[in-house]
Amino acid sequence: MKKILFSLLFLSFPFALWAGNEDDFGAWLELGATKSLPRNWDIGLEAELRTMDNCQTVDRLSLSPSLSYKANKYLKFSAGYALMFDYNKENAGKKWLTPSYWSHRNRLCVDANSSVKLWKWLRISGRVRYQFTHRAGQHIDRYECEGLDATTGEYSYYMDEADVKYKDCNSRQVLRSRIKFQLDKKRLDWSPFVSVEFHNNVAVGEHMNLDKLRTCVGTEYKINKHNDVSLSYVLTLDRMQHPYEAMHAVSIGYSYDF
């Protein structure tokens, strides 16, 4: 087990070079519910809220229904849809000021999950997920720059009339590969875990570029047959959108199994 944990930390170390002094911290809050159906089928619903700017700003709101099928004790398939609302912060430049605004995305996911238990206490699970995300086009107000204020040293803008810009829609295709090691022992309510996940861009011409690395350390606690809670620390390194910034987050989750 020590060798496994050391290997995961070793894999994560090169990507830590992406992080700089502009790291951010947020909280992820998750609520989920699952209902078992006949013939190894399950349906689920999950709601999520994420914050950024040291938990001062809401970053994302999402709602995700899903359907899964357990083929056997080792293999499970699932598919889901997520409706996400993202907060875009104000952007002030030398030419334009774009006020903060909300946008929405639609995401489709297809998963293959596999797990195996070793030595009666360690569960090793893997997940491969294909996800397709589409961001709708949107008209955005922006204001032209008047010039640099010599007194304050800041840019001022013509705020009387907005110039409307159309932001084109775009789509992303990502393959997410995750491996997870978890303590899974009989009659033990606590289940500590560690995981690492790679996000590869599979769009045409991207050649499986590694866009993001996410590591997670935490624990799950089974309150009773129907109720579970989880607490974890998540480190995300985004090579494409924030190459010099790491995202640290505390994730708190609650799930109910009908």
Side-chain angles (χ1 to χ4, degrees):
M1 183 63 179
K2 291 182 179 179
K3 291 182 178 180
I4 292 172
L5 295 176
F6 178 79
S7 299
L8 289 175
L9 293 174
F10 180 77
L11 285 171
S12 303
F13 176 74
F15 299 95
L17 297 177
W18 293 343
N21 296 323
E22 301 299 326
D23 293 0
D24 195 7
F25 175 79
W28 297 0
L29 306 177
E30 301 175 358
L31 291 175
T34 305
K35 172 65 177 177
S36 298
L37 300 176
R39 299 185 179 180
N40 297 327
W41 288 90
D42 291 331
I43 57 171
L45 182 66
E46 184 177 283
E48 184 182 37
L49 181 149
R50 293 186 182 183
T51 65
M52 59 181 178
D53 294 334
N54 296 318
C55 296
Q56 298 181 47
T57 307
V58 175
D59 179 29
R60 178 195 295 180
L61 297 169
S62 66
L63 187 65
S64 311
S66 61
L67 178 68
S68 60
Y69 172 72
K70 189 173 183 178
N72 52 53
K73 64 183 296 186
Y74 301 108
L75 189 60
K76 187 176 184 178
F77 300 98
S78 60
Y81 163 78
L83 175 61
M84 300 182 293
F85 295 91
D86 301 307
Y87 181 76
N88 300 269
K89 294 189 294 184
E90 178 182 283
N91 184 15
K94 295 181 180 180
K95 189 175 181 180
W96 299 101
L97 167 69
T98 304
S100 56
Y101 64 95
W102 286 87
S103 60
H104 78 274
R105 292 180 292 166
N106 296 280
R107 174 173 290 175
L108 297 174
C109 300
V110 179
D111 299 356
N113 299 268
S114 181
S115 69
V116 61
K117 194 171 181 179
L118 302 176
W119 308 303
K120 297 183 179 181
W121 60 271
L122 176 65
R123 181 170 297 279
I124 302 176
S125 58
R127 185 189 72 184
V128 177
R129 166 178 290 181
Y130 167 79
Q131 90 182 13
F132 175 84
T133 308
H134 177 76
R135 184 189 296 273
Q138 185 174 356
H139 289 91
I140 302 170
D141 290 343
R142 62 179 185 174
Y143 299 91
E144 190 174 1
C145 181
E146 286 183 328
L148 186 65
D149 191 317
T151 304
T152 62
E154 298 179 352
Y155 290 100
S156 57
Y157 303 87
Y158 297 102
M159 304 300 292
D160 295 333
E161 186 174 349
D163 177 84
V164 180
K165 175 188 177 182
Y166 182 75
K167 187 173 183 179
D168 293 332
C169 61
N170 64 71
S171 300
R172 294 192 69 212
Q173 300 180 65
V174 175
L175 186 68
R176 299 171 55 172
S177 308
R178 186 187 72 186
I179 185 168
K180 181 178 180 181
F181 300 88
Q182 185 168 20
L183 180 64
D184 186 2
K185 198 172 181 179
K186 275 190 176 182
R187 294 182 292 276
L188 185 65
D189 296 330
W190 293 94
S191 300
F193 65 87
V194 57
S195 69
V196 60
E197 184 177 41
F198 301 91
H199 293 218
N200 295 91
N201 194 331
V202 295
V204 176
E206 294 295 339
H207 309 293
M208 288 289 288
N209 287 340
L210 178 60
D211 287 354
K212 188 183 296 185
L213 172 74
R214 178 170 291 159
T215 56
C216 184
V217 178
T219 185
E220 297 175 359
Y221 177 71
K222 191 173 186 64
I223 301 173
N224 52 43
K225 182 179 179 181
H226 300 286
N227 297 273
D228 294 89
V229 293
S230 63
L231 176 66
S232 60
Y233 161 74
V234 184
L235 171 64
T236 304
L237 303 172
D238 193 332
R239 188 175 69 90
M240 299 303 294
Q241 296 185 3
H242 306 285
Y244 304 106
E245 176 183 334
M247 180 64 190
H248 306 264
V250 171
S251 177
I252 303 172
Y254 167 78
S255 62
Y256 184 83
D257 190 358
F258 289 91

